[in-house]
């Protein structure tokens, strides 16, 4: 049985769920966390500005939550096991997990999977089926979080893709302080 309250409490304490190479689920934490800025330091490549101006993608929330979960898990090595997808589905039904999606017509182009707790968006994973779709999702998600006064966009681990958006690393002590600020703010994601 999935204990939603315990899972949310784990995330609210700065931990996150992952499956290991043998698909065993466990709680993890990190000495460093990567954040996506929600202020003016958020940036993106000029080439993406042209894509955004073309309006070739529309965005939606939870239109195909399972499709985003499966898209995020569909890679050569993944930490998203079937058990974790089941947990995400239960969290989604309870309004804790969301997919922020890009669409091209009636085709799911890409998306970002995350856990929302008050003023914190904890990004679990992202994927794309069409080039630039996940990048557009990132820009539109940041705009969405800003408009709803979120405090924190946690991307968990740094990579070159996120760095192009101005992501930055903070230590765990600073992360917990910021997470607590986010937990003091009642934000509505939808």
């Amino acid at each position: 049985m999935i204990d939603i309250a315990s899972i949310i409490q784990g995330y609210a304490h700065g931990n996150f769920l992952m499956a290991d190479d043998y698909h065993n689920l466990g709680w993890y934490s990190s000495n460093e966390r990567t954040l996506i800025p929600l202020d003016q330091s958020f940036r993106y490549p000029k080439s993406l500005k042209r894509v955004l101006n073309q309006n070739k993608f529309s965005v939606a929330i939870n239109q195909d939550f399972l499709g985003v979960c499966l898209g995020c898990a569909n890679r050569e090595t993944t930490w998203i096991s079937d058990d974790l997808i089941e947990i995400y589905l239960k969290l989604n039904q309870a309004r804790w997990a969301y997919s922020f999606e890009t669409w091209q017509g009636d085709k799911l182009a890409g998306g970002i999977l995350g856990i929302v707790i008050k003023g914190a968006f904890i990004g679990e994973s992202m994927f794309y089926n069409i080039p630039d779709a996940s990048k557009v999702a990132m820009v539109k998600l940041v705009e969405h979080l800003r408009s709803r006064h979120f405090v924190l966009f946690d991307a968990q681990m740094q990579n070159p893709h996120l760095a192009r958006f101005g992501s930055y690393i903070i230590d765990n002590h600073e992360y917990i302080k910021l997470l607590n600020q986010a937990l003091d703010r009642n934000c509505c994601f939808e």
Side-chain angles (χ1 to χ4, degrees):
M1 177 157 174
I2 296 170
D3 183 352
I4 291 173
S6 293
I7 291 170
I8 295 306
Q9 187 175 29
Y11 278 95
H13 283 98
N15 303 306
F16 51 93
L17 281 171
M18 285 179 58
D20 64 18
D21 292 339
Y22 305 101
H23 304 286
N24 298 313
L25 277 179
W27 283 103
Y28 294 84
S29 62
S30 176
N31 292 329
E32 296 180 332
R33 287 304 259 274
T34 298
L35 302 183
I36 303 295
L38 296 176
D39 60 14
Q40 305 82 354
S41 59
F42 177 76
R43 63 180 187 270
Y44 52 88
K46 288 182 182 178
S47 60
L48 186 56
K49 191 170 201 159
R50 287 189 292 276
V51 172
L52 288 161
N53 289 337
Q54 292 169 356
N55 291 317
K56 56 190 215 178
F57 298 106
S58 60
V59 297
I61 295 172
N62 286 344
Q63 191 167 313
D64 187 358
F65 183 82
L66 178 58
V68 172
C69 290
L70 295 173
C72 289
N74 184 20
R75 47 189 81 180
E76 197 169 309
T77 57
T78 183
W79 51 267
I80 301 176
S81 65
D82 291 343
D83 290 339
L84 190 50
I85 289 175
E86 184 180 339
I87 289 170
Y88 288 148
L89 289 170
K90 293 289 185 195
L91 291 174
N92 175 255
Q93 291 168 359
R95 297 309 210 203
W96 292 106
Y98 292 88
S99 59
F100 193 87
E101 307 155 1
T102 47
W103 289 80
Q104 194 168 68
D106 61 356
K107 182 177 171 58
L108 179 62
I112 300 172
L113 172 65
I115 309 292
V116 174
I117 307 173
K118 297 200 173 200
F121 182 91
I122 302 163
E124 294 286 282
S125 189
M126 62 193 303
F127 85 103
Y128 67 91
N129 289 323
I130 298 173
D132 295 322
S134 63
K135 296 174 190 168
V136 170
M138 176 72 77
V139 172
K140 295 297 185 180
L141 177 56
V142 166
E143 290 173 0
H144 184 77
L145 295 173
R146 284 176 177 166
S147 73
R148 284 159 173 68
H149 309 288
F150 272 69
V151 173
L152 175 69
F153 183 170
D154 176 5
Q156 296 180 357
M157 293 182 236
Q158 181 71 293
N159 64 47
H161 174 69
L162 295 177
R164 296 177 73 194
F165 292 93
S167 65
Y168 60 99
I169 297 171
I170 61 173
D171 67 37
N172 192 54
H173 178 73
E174 289 299 312
Y175 174 76
I176 295 299
K177 281 184 7 187
L178 195 54
L179 178 60
N180 286 330
Q181 289 175 20
L183 298 178
D184 281 340
R185 184 170 298 177
N186 286 318
C187 297
C188 180
F189 188 72
E190 292 184 271

